Amino acid sequence: MIYGHGISVLTAAPSVLLQHRQVHHAVIPHGRSGRSSVSGIVATVFGATGFLGRYVVNRLGRIGSQVIIPYRCDQYDLMYLRPMGDLGQLLFMEWDCRDKDSIQRAVQHSNVVINLIGKEWETKNFRFEDEFVNIPQSIAQISKEAGVEKFIHISHLNANMKSPSKYLRNKAVGEKMVREEFPDAVILKPSEMFGREDRFLNHYANMRWFGGVPLISLGKKTVKQPVYVVDVAKAIINAIKNPDAKGKTYALAGPHRYLLYDMVEYIYTVSHHPFIPYPLPRPLYHLVARFFEMNPFEPWLTRDKVERFHTTDMTFPDLPGFEELGIEPTPLEQKAIEVLRRHRRFRWLDAELEEVKPKTQPM
């Protein structure tokens, strides 16, 4: 039906497309499951190229999150991260950790910010104060100003102002600064993490090239409680999803405690190498580490690392842990073979380790 000069009745009637209606969220398409789904999480992960970072990015990608990855390294060092998310879900951007505008650009569209920045040694450009105090403080401050809903900061189980390790002292200061800038921040305190690319089990396994394993007091005065890196990555994801996690501090440690001597002995048993320990006084150990620190690239050993590895892991019965995040921690003896198989000269496929287990210490 036509009115006037060619005006259709369809034009005269109100358009159906202009009507506004409430649509139930279940009707809105959310993509397919897995990495192609839409989790609603837009996360900026600082330090994604590190040991823990690759596991966190993978966990975020597999639930369909969009991940912004600020980086300072060469682009070729990021290649292994690219397959961890669906097409367009991983966004890489260069950033300057001392430029607040650069940090603001990295977090402005995110509802979650995760700080994994850290290094085991100092350089002339970045001291431990920069890595663990100044940079996390700036990120927390800018994230708060940008309206980020959840901020997750990774500290250390043994972070303590009175620790002989400068690494651990600055970790403790960093916790305090982050809490002041972002009171609702979730702080996770993992112990020494082990995994395929770690610098813990692999460090002791590689000591065989030096004719034995030097240990202060033969490792019988140090108790360690290592945690599996995948469990820590799961804890980060669960802390993002848990609304009750805001403002809490979690102590993340493995299910068993071991004397350092027993743990290193187990490492050599699994890797099928003779275990030759010998006691080394602390000053002499520091002198040896000082020579490694002269390496202009990555030092294999530092004086601070000697102190950190010979520090007994603290216990925090008053702090929540894996159980509150719905995770059952993985024991060392279950996953050590994944790390140590590469150190074997034979019997690569032999994983029957039930008859060989490290001695555990009371919790």
Side-chain angles (χ1 to χ4, degrees), residues 5 67 89 125 202 240 272 282 284 290 336:
H5 300 286
V67 187
Q89 290 295 82
N125 294 323
N202 284 312
I240 293 173
H272 297 310
R282 193 180 302 268
L284 189 55
R290 184 69 185 90

Side-chain angles (χ1 to χ4, degrees), residues 41-310:
I41 297 172
V42 181
T44 299
V45 183
F46 291 94
T49 56
F51 172 44
L52 176 59
R54 68 188 69 196
Y55 293 93
V56 174
V57 172
N58 185 42
R59 289 274 162 181
L60 288 169
R62 72 197 303 181
I63 62 174
S65 305
Q66 190 169 54
V67 187
I68 294 93
I69 302 176
Y71 69 92
R72 299 187 305 114
C73 57
D74 190 276
Q75 289 193 7
Y76 286 101
D77 296 330
L78 304 168
M79 298 301 288
Y80 65 90
L81 294 175
R82 295 186 182 276
M84 293 182 179
D86 203 4
L87 185 63
Q89 290 295 82
L90 300 187
L91 306 177
F92 299 87
M93 60 174 294
E94 293 188 38
W95 76 299
D96 180 359
C97 57
R98 291 192 172 99
D99 181 10
K100 292 191 174 182
D101 291 335
S102 178
I103 299 175
Q104 202 275 335
R105 287 193 298 271
V107 305
Q108 62 183 347
H109 300 298
S110 301
N111 52 24
V112 175
V113 173
I114 304 171
N115 175 43
L116 308 176
I117 293 175
K119 213 169 191 178
E120 291 192 344
W121 65 92
E122 294 182 293
T123 65
K124 65 179 181 179
N125 294 323
F126 292 97
R127 315 300 293 180
F128 283 146
E129 292 87 350
D130 298 320
E131 299 168 13
F132 301 137
V133 181
N134 299 333
I135 296 174
Q137 183 181 14
S138 298
I139 294 174
Q141 176 188 356
I142 294 170
S143 297
K144 185 67 175 178
E145 295 171 354
V148 172
E149 298 175 15
K150 187 160 285 188
F151 184 87
I152 296 180
H153 175 71
I154 303 300
S155 183
H156 195 283
L157 186 70
N158 297 327
N160 192 332
M161 301 283 193
K162 298 180 180 180
S163 173
S165 166
K166 187 179 179 182
Y167 176 103
L168 296 176
R169 291 197 302 272
N170 282 280
K171 278 285 190 180
V173 177
E175 283 186 28
K176 183 179 178 181
M177 293 296 111
V178 167
R179 186 65 77 195
E180 289 179 359
E181 298 292 344
F182 204 118
D184 288 337
V186 181
I187 297 179
L188 304 182
K189 296 165 65 73
S191 58
E192 297 296 339
M193 292 179 285
F194 66 91
R196 292 177 185 269
E197 308 88 0
D198 71 16
R199 291 190 178 96
F200 186 56
L201 300 187
N202 284 312
H203 173 80
Y204 283 111
N206 285 323
M207 278 188 170
R208 68 183 185 274
W209 300 109
F210 298 95
V213 183
L215 296 170
I216 297 175
S217 300
L218 211 58
K220 295 189 177 181
K221 293 184 178 179
T222 305
V223 181
K224 306 302 284 185
Q225 195 172 352
V227 62
Y228 188 38
V229 63
V230 174
D231 292 339
V232 179
K234 289 179 182 178
I236 293 174
I237 304 302
N238 290 3
I240 293 173
K241 297 178 180 178
N242 186 358
D244 298 329
K246 285 187 176 181
K248 292 184 179 179
T249 300
Y250 292 85
L252 307 180
H256 300 146
R257 294 173 67 84
Y258 315 93
L259 278 178
L260 182 60
Y261 177 91
D262 295 331
M263 189 190 70
V264 178
E265 183 182 25
Y266 176 72
I267 290 172
Y268 279 81
T269 302
V270 174
S271 57
H272 297 310
H273 287 285
F275 177 49
I276 308 174
Y278 56 90
L280 193 64
R282 193 180 302 268
L284 189 55
Y285 213 150
H286 281 189
L287 181 62
V288 173
R290 184 69 185 90
F291 283 103
F292 282 99
E293 290 176 8
M294 295 179 183
N295 186 348
F297 303 102
E298 176 183 340
W300 184 75
L301 184 67
T302 64
R303 288 167 290 179
D304 194 89
K305 191 171 185 176
V306 171
E307 294 293 344
R308 184 160 52 90
F309 277 12
H310 287 84

